């Protein structure tokens, strides 16, 4: 786990709104979402399944060592889970004759890691049948995968329950779009109980991301520029290079590293790219259209990398608590891809 580093005085002001209040002693985390209050707890399975977190961590670390790209894949899957119906594992459910599930929505068709989560869940079920939720397995696996490639660690309070509903239409409605403006992104995050600084720090996950050319083709071909009030255009030289080498018009929908040269290193490269107008997605470029967000980015890139790790981790803890089900709500799925019969 990354050791805690004291934040510079200027950064205390910067990240104040992003810090989750963690209860002392019992490790309970109070989560406010809409009109509800929920509680997750550090060490929730200490008595009911004491080996759970070790099983998840050991398997994920072993796999990430062989296939490092699983880290961004699991992190993205966790993101997409939490933005639709909260962090309830509904992204893991398969479609049925009753309707198409979240994972079959176009924005989710490039998600990976479902088989890995199924294997981890099977190991946990073998140790403790019917105890640990798929939602918790996914939240823990995302954290452990990022840490395994040298990225930050963060608190993952557990006790989530699994949802029984998964809707492709809800995914289309609730997931952030790469074409969103800053006000649209801020409004979407606010509906999830997340602030503007959470938006800024969670976007930092793109330091280990890739993007398909189709997701930013409008910024390469026929983009109108900043005059439309959305985001500044791509750096001209960078855009020309992409058009020539990676994203040729009419070519295959290839992928481009969002942090070229270090896309499997969790660092500040993404934020440097944003400030240089080399962010691929319009939604990333839009971060600099808000004065406060731009100032936050400028502040973090001039600070030690550990500062980014801390603010990212705190926002991840907040994301992992979005609209969770606890207690007797939902269920503990036996298999993550189907609801219990």
């Amino acid at each position: 786990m990354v050791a805690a580093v004291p934040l510079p005085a200027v950064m205390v002001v910067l990240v104040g709104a992003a810090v989750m209040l963690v209860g002392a002693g019992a490790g309970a985390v109070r989560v406010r979402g809409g009109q509800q209050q929920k509680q997750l707890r550090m060490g929730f399975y200490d008595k009911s399944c004491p080996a759970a977190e070790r099983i998840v961590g050991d398997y994920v670390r072993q796999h990430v060592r062989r296939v490092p790209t699983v880290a961004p894949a699991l992190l993205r899957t966790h993101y997409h889970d939490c933005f639709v119906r909260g962090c309830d594992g509904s992204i893991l459910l398969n479609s049925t004759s009753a309707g198409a599930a979240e994972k079959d929505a176009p924005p989710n068709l490039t998600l990976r890691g479902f088989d890995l989560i199924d294997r981890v869940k099977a190991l946990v079920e073998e140790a403790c049948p019917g105890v640990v939720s798929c939602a918790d397995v996914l939240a823990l696996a995302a954290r452990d995968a990022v840490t395994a490639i040298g990225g930050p660690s963060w608190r993952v309070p557990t006790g989530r329950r699994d949802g029984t509903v998964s809707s492709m239409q809800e995914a289309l409605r609730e997931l952030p779009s790469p074409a969103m403006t800053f006000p649209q992104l801020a409004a979407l995050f606010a509906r999830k109980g997340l602030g503007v600084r959470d938006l800024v720090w969670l976007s930092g996950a793109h330091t280990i991301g890739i993007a398909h050319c189709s997701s930013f083709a409008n910024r390469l071909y026929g983009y109108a520029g900043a005059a439309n009030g959305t985001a500044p255009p791509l750096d001209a030289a960078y855009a020309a290079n992409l058009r020539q080498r990676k994203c040729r018009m009419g070519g295959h929908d290839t992928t481009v590293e969002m942090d070229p040269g270090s896309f499997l290193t969790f660092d500040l490269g993404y934020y440097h790219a944003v400030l240089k107008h080399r962010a691929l997605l319009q939604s990333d470029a839009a971060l600099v259209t808000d004065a406060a967000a731009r100032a936050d980015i400028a502040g973090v890139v001039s600070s030690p990398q550990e500062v980014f790790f801390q603010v990212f981790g705190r926002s991840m803890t907040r994301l992992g608590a979005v609209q969770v089900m606890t207690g007797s709500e939902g269920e503990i799925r036996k298999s993550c891809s189907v609801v219990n019969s």
Side-chain angles (χ1 to χ4, degrees):
M1 178 175 290
V2 176
V5 176
L7 300 182
V10 65
M11 292 300 295
V12 174
V13 177
L14 181 73
V15 305
V19 176
M20 167 169 282
L21 295 179
V22 181
V29 175
R30 297 185 69 81
V31 181
R32 293 183 180 272
Q35 300 300 313
Q36 298 179 324
Q37 284 192 354
K38 301 296 175 77
Q39 282 199 332
L40 301 176
R41 191 171 72 247
M42 296 297 295
F44 181 84
Y45 299 111
D46 282 354
K47 293 184 178 179
S48 58
C49 190
E53 294 195 23
R54 178 185 58 77
I55 293 171
V56 175
D58 286 351
Y59 189 89
V60 169
R61 284 187 291 272
Q62 180 183 27
H63 195 76
V64 170
R65 279 196 293 268
R66 296 197 306 268
V67 188
T69 54
V70 79
L74 290 177
L75 184 58
R76 183 168 179 244
T77 300
H78 181 41
Y79 268 55
H80 283 219
D81 182 42
C82 292
F83 266 88
V84 184
R85 291 185 165 264
C87 309
D88 66 346
S90 54
I91 187 65
L92 306 173
L93 287 169
N94 289 336
S95 295
T96 68
S97 57
E102 293 171 33
K103 66 167 59 173
D104 289 326
N108 290 332
L109 293 178
T110 54
L111 291 180
R112 297 187 298 115
F114 297 113
D115 289 345
L116 185 148
I117 294 298
D118 285 342
R119 292 195 294 271
V120 175
K121 171 64 172 174
L123 292 174
V124 174
E125 280 292 300
E126 185 177 338
C128 314
V131 174
V132 181
S133 69
C134 296
D136 277 343
V137 169
L138 177 57
L140 291 165
R143 189 269 314 276
D144 294 340
V146 170
T147 305
I149 60 167
S153 185
W154 58 88
R155 290 169 63 90
V156 181
T158 44
R160 297 167 188 78
R161 302 274 290 182
D162 292 325
T164 57
V165 176
S166 185
S167 164
M168 181 177 74
Q169 291 304 317
E170 288 187 2
L172 291 171
R173 193 166 57 243
E174 297 295 329
L175 287 173
S177 159
M180 280 185 167
T181 64
F182 189 88
Q184 290 171 330
L185 287 166
L188 176 59
F189 272 62
R191 291 200 299 271
K192 308 302 177 185
L194 300 171
V196 166
R197 288 190 171 104
D198 295 313
L199 164 59
V200 173
W201 306 139
L202 293 174
S203 296
H206 286 166
T207 187
I208 55 170
I210 58 174
H212 286 80
C213 292
S214 58
S215 65
F216 59 94
N218 64 316
R219 288 171 54 73
L220 293 175
Y221 299 98
Y223 183 66
N228 62 7
T230 52
L234 270 169
D235 172 80
Y238 186 44
N241 180 277
L242 288 170
R243 285 192 294 266
Q244 181 180 0
R245 296 177 178 274
K246 289 283 189 176
C247 301
R248 296 183 178 181
M249 184 175 287
H252 295 292
D253 190 14
T254 55
T255 58
V256 180
E257 298 172 6
M258 301 179 80
D259 182 1
S262 65
F263 85 106
L264 285 178
T265 302
F266 211 98
D267 57 21
L268 293 165
Y270 161 79
Y271 289 122
H272 285 290
V274 169
L275 293 175
K276 293 177 180 177
H277 303 307
R278 293 188 174 187
L280 297 178
L281 306 181
Q282 179 172 309
S283 54
D284 287 332
L287 295 179
V288 298
T289 66
D290 180 83
R294 186 170 60 250
D296 283 353
I297 294 172
V300 81
V301 298
S302 62
S303 301
Q305 181 167 278
E306 289 81 2
V307 172
F308 170 43
F309 279 22
Q310 285 196 34
V311 293
F312 178 83
R314 287 167 181 156
S315 286
M316 281 302 303
T317 300
R318 286 171 57 81
L319 173 69
V322 167
Q323 296 173 308
V324 295
M325 293 189 294
T326 58
S328 60
E329 298 174 303
E331 65 181 13
I332 302 296
R333 276 184 235 139
K334 298 175 183 176
S335 172
C336 291
S337 59
V338 296
V339 298
N340 295 340
S341 57

